[in-house]
Amino acid sequence: MPPRPTPAPGQLPRPRPPPLMPVAKRPPAPWALALPAGRRARARLFLRLAAPLSFLLLVAAFLRTQPPAAPLDALPPSAGPGKVAFLFLARAGLPLDFLWDAFFRNGEEGRFSVYVHSAPGFVLDRTTTGSPYFYGRQLARAVKVAWGEPTMVQAEKMLFAAALEDPANQRFVLLSDSCVPLYNFSYTYTYLMGSPKSIVDSFTDKTEKRYNPNMSPVIRKDKWRKGSQWVMLIRKHAEVVVGDKHVFQVFRKHCKMVVTNALLGQKLVNARRLGFVFRRKQILKGAAQEEHDCIPDEHYVQTLFSIKGLEDELERRTLTYTSWNQSTLDPKDKMTWHPTTFEYDAASPEQINAIKSIDHVNYEVEHRTEWCQSNGTSVPCFLFARKFSYGAAMHLLEDGAFGLLKSAQLLVNF
């Protein structure tokens, strides 16, 4: 043992540490003594690993009970408000762009978007519209729309598809180029965003003979519906329309306009008045066939939702008021039954207020009265109206329907 060092003067000697005591080993458990040496070693290893393994198993079980994280595309696009997508079906330009410009100008940026399906090759710019809200808003791809043909539905599907690319769009309103708003932007936005249901005019009309049995089994007769093409869809239902291929293909094959030679002349006159392309050769070809007279845009969305079992998710009416000319004495003569055009005098405050006061719609063929509601609250039935001439739209604007600028000020840009 080395000699103990001598402490310095005035310093106490450091105490010697006590000797280390041997640690007593825990005696093995009785059950372990009964095992052979090799098995005892494996048992000791198992006991050492049991605790961390148990912890890992508990963590895995906890994770399995938690809801999976939402995929990136399902997360909210932003913290901002949802938008209303206004979808315009136009022949070429937008003759009432000055009225919509005033409507959007009094709106709120970031709460709406605009899409236009126009004739292929038509461009909305400073030379074709006075409203910056429409600049470049035409679809990059378009089809040549013919009245009474599936191309009308195809154009609608293209509008919905384009608007769905923006995840902020939550409501989708289909409008024609002759539609006008009846209320200001704030009221319209609150009305549309407050509705948890799509608003789709849909009913069963057993007096019509438009259903073609060749559509079965994809489209059964009990699923056949009719209604206005001017719909408002929530995002879920817009995705259903865009995603459908099967039902639309049946429409393309079996739902088409067919007229007799006796009515050919009147049909052409009405088609020209409406401004749509209507090919004479196609009409003559159809007249020689024994087919069911069918207008796709009056049946497609309604029938698709019926097939998909979505009718309980709809307000079964339309948001767009139309005045129908039913002056003919023959109720079966639909050739002279068409939407009337509102001229300047017909757009008086009294007549507009009469439209805005409508709170229910009667469906005589179903013996049903549809009371107009939004999320369980009674509301006016119509937010829009058609068909308005330039003069009628100007009258609406001059009367301050939206609390807007007077027409003389607006015409500086138009």
Side-chain angles (χ1 to χ4, degrees):
M1 177 178 296
R4 187 175 182 179
T6 304
Q11 182 180 6
L12 296 176
R14 296 178 60 183
R16 184 184 299 271
L20 296 175
M21 299 295 292
V23 178
K25 294 184 179 180
R26 177 185 294 178
W31 59 267
L33 294 175
L35 295 175
R39 294 187 64 182
R40 284 202 300 271
R42 287 195 296 271
R44 286 195 296 271
L45 178 61
F46 174 81
L47 290 175
R48 291 175 182 175
L49 295 178
L53 284 174
S54 299
F55 175 78
L56 291 176
L57 289 173
L58 286 173
V59 170
F62 174 79
L63 292 176
R64 280 198 300 269
T65 61
Q66 302 305 303
L72 292 178
D73 58 356
L75 296 175
S78 66
K83 295 196 292 187
V84 175
F86 293 86
L87 316 178
F88 291 88
L89 274 171
R91 300 168 181 83
L94 293 160
L96 308 183
D97 56 355
F98 66 94
L99 181 63
W100 285 101
D101 181 85
F103 175 80
F104 292 131
R105 193 179 299 277
N106 284 266
E108 300 176 50
E109 292 290 344
R111 291 180 180 262
F112 66 90
S113 52
V114 177
Y115 302 84
V116 182
H117 181 281
S118 192
F122 185 86
V123 177
L124 288 162
D125 55 23
R126 294 180 182 275
T127 66
T128 55
T129 177
S131 173
Y133 296 106
F134 292 103
Y135 291 167
R137 300 312 301 165
Q138 75 283 342
L139 301 188
R141 292 179 57 250
V143 295
K144 190 174 183 179
V145 175
W147 181 66
E149 292 186 6
T151 49
M152 182 75 78
V153 175
Q154 188 176 355
E156 294 175 9
K157 289 167 70 73
M158 294 171 75
L159 280 168
F160 286 120
L164 281 170
E165 292 180 3
D166 183 350
N169 289 329
Q170 297 298 318
R171 300 291 183 272
F172 304 78
V173 184
L174 189 63
L175 301 159
S176 78
D177 55 10
S178 68
C179 282
V180 299
L182 298 176
Y183 298 89
N184 61 28
F185 179 87
S186 177
Y187 182 86
T188 303
Y189 179 87
T190 301
Y191 187 121
L192 296 176
M193 295 301 294
S195 174
K197 295 185 175 184
S198 292
I199 301 177
V200 179
D201 186 38
S202 177
F203 58 92
T204 302
D205 190 354
K206 297 181 180 179
T207 64
E208 294 281 2
K209 296 182 180 180
R210 294 184 175 184
Y211 176 78
N212 189 332
N214 292 327
M215 295 178 177
S216 182
V218 176
I219 304 173
R220 303 198 316 264
K221 189 173 183 178
D222 63 307
K223 297 296 184 181
W224 185 249
R225 300 290 185 269
K226 181 182 178 182
S228 169
Q229 75 180 108
W230 312 113
V231 300
M232 189 284 288
L233 304 184
I234 61 175
R235 188 174 182 89
K236 168 188 173 181
H237 295 158
E239 291 172 344
V240 171
V241 171
V242 172
D244 169 61
K245 302 294 188 297
H246 198 31
V247 174
F248 181 58
Q249 290 302 323
V250 175
F251 264 81
R252 296 184 71 168
K253 185 175 181 180
H254 296 295
C255 184
K256 59 188 71 174
M257 277 294 300
V258 178
V259 297
T260 63
N261 289 323
L263 296 175
L264 175 60
Q266 182 63 50
K267 177 64 73 174
L268 288 172
V269 169
N270 286 345
R272 292 192 188 99
R273 185 193 299 117
L274 293 171
F276 288 109
V277 177
F278 208 95
R279 293 190 284 275
R280 183 184 181 90
K281 288 183 179 179
Q282 187 174 35
I283 297 174
L284 289 172
K285 179 181 178 181
Q289 298 175 348
E290 291 296 330
E291 281 282 355
H292 291 252
D293 186 23
C294 184
I295 303 175
D297 55 80
E298 293 183 0
H299 298 276
Y300 172 69
V301 172
Q302 293 81 357
T303 300
L304 175 64
F305 288 169
S306 173
I307 292 172
K308 297 293 185 179
L310 299 174
E311 289 186 300
D312 289 342
E313 301 177 15
L314 309 177
E315 293 283 345
R316 295 174 60 195
R317 58 186 177 88
T318 181
L319 286 172
T320 303
Y321 178 84
T322 304
S323 176
W324 292 93
N325 173 24
Q326 302 181 51
S327 59
T328 176
L329 297 178
D330 183 3
K332 296 181 180 180
D333 179 12
K334 297 298 190 298
M335 305 312 297
T336 55
W337 190 24
H338 58 271
T340 58
T341 299
F342 284 82
E343 300 296 345
Y344 185 91
D345 292 338
S348 66
E350 294 76 18
Q351 289 174 294
I352 297 302
N353 287 333
I355 296 172
K356 294 165 71 171
S357 68
I358 298 172
D359 61 0
H360 68 280
V361 181
N362 292 320
Y363 290 86
E364 296 180 0
V365 294
E366 289 186 331
H367 306 289
R368 169 171 64 95
T369 297
E370 188 75 15
W371 293 93
C372 300
Q373 296 184 337
S374 176
N375 201 18
T377 302
S378 296
V379 292
C381 291
F382 303 109
L383 291 180
F384 313 99
R386 63 184 293 266
K387 307 170 44 132
F388 272 59
S389 66
Y390 183 95
M394 187 63 70
H395 195 172
L396 191 65
L397 188 61
E398 289 173 341
D399 289 332
F402 318 124
L404 304 170
L405 300 172
K406 291 297 183 181
S407 58
Q409 295 172 285
L410 287 168
L411 288 177
V412 172
N413 298 327
F414 291 88

